[in-house]
Structure formats: C-alpha cells, structure tokens
C-alpha cells in the first residue's frame, strides 16, 4: 500500500502576498487602492473597473470600498 502525502504549508509566494496585504486595512478607498498598486492604474480607470465589476467593491452609503484581497486577486484576474 502506497501512502501519498501532500504539503499543505503555504508557499513562499503566499507568504509574500500575505505580508504585502497585512500593511493595509481590510477595506481600501479607490485612492488607497491606486496608491497600493504603485499608481500603475489611474484613479479614473479604477472607478471604471469598479463600475464594470472587474474590481470587486462594496458600498457603504456613498463610500466605495475595495477589499484588500483585491490587491492580489485583481492583477491575477487582469493578466488572464
């Protein structure tokens, strides 16, 4: 009988991603999201991507907030 084991420990990339995320609050404004991405996407483009549903967001009253996980997920989705 052969035993198969799986390594369930996080990869180095996941550790780096988590360390990157931990420096931000759980929800970011579009401006904070823009700055966290290093300004690589214009603020107006971020609002357009939010309206199109490409960047996930939540609304609290008039305020638009983006979950910090989008800092990792959005670039991965956009590159595919």
């Amino acid at each position: 009988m052969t035993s198969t084991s799986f390594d369930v420990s996080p990869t180095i990339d996941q550790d780096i991603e988590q360390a990157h995320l931990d420096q931000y609050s759980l929800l970011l404004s579009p401006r904070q999201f823009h700055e966290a991405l290093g300004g690589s996407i214009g603020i107006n483009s971020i609002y357009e991507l939010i309206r199109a549903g490409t960047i996930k967001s939540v609304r609290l009253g008039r305020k638009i907030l983006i979950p910090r996980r989008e800092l990792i997920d959005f670039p991965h989705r956009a590159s595919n």
Side-chain angles (χ1 to χ4, degrees):
M1 184 189 242
T2 305
S3 174
T4 305
S5 66
F6 297 97
D7 183 11
V8 293
S9 62
T11 65
I12 293 173
D13 287 342
Q14 289 171 329
D15 289 342
I16 292 169
E17 287 177 355
Q18 190 59 47
H20 177 71
L21 288 180
D22 287 346
Q23 64 184 326
Y24 300 104
S25 62
L26 290 174
L27 296 168
L28 300 116
S29 70
R31 171 85 44 206
Q32 291 169 320
F33 189 76
H34 161 77
E35 291 169 0
L37 292 176
S40 59
I41 299 174
I43 190 72
N44 290 333
S45 295
I46 289 174
Y47 279 107
E48 289 175 22
L49 291 166
I50 290 169
R51 275 191 291 279
T54 307
I55 295 176
K56 295 177 184 174
S57 66
V58 294
R59 288 190 73 105
L60 295 175
R62 296 181 58 187
K63 190 176 251 189
I64 298 172
L65 297 170
I66 303 166
R68 74 177 177 190
R69 182 69 201 173
E70 282 297 287
L71 290 171
I72 301 299
D73 294 344
F74 165 68
H76 288 291
R77 279 194 314 273
S79 66
N80 290 333

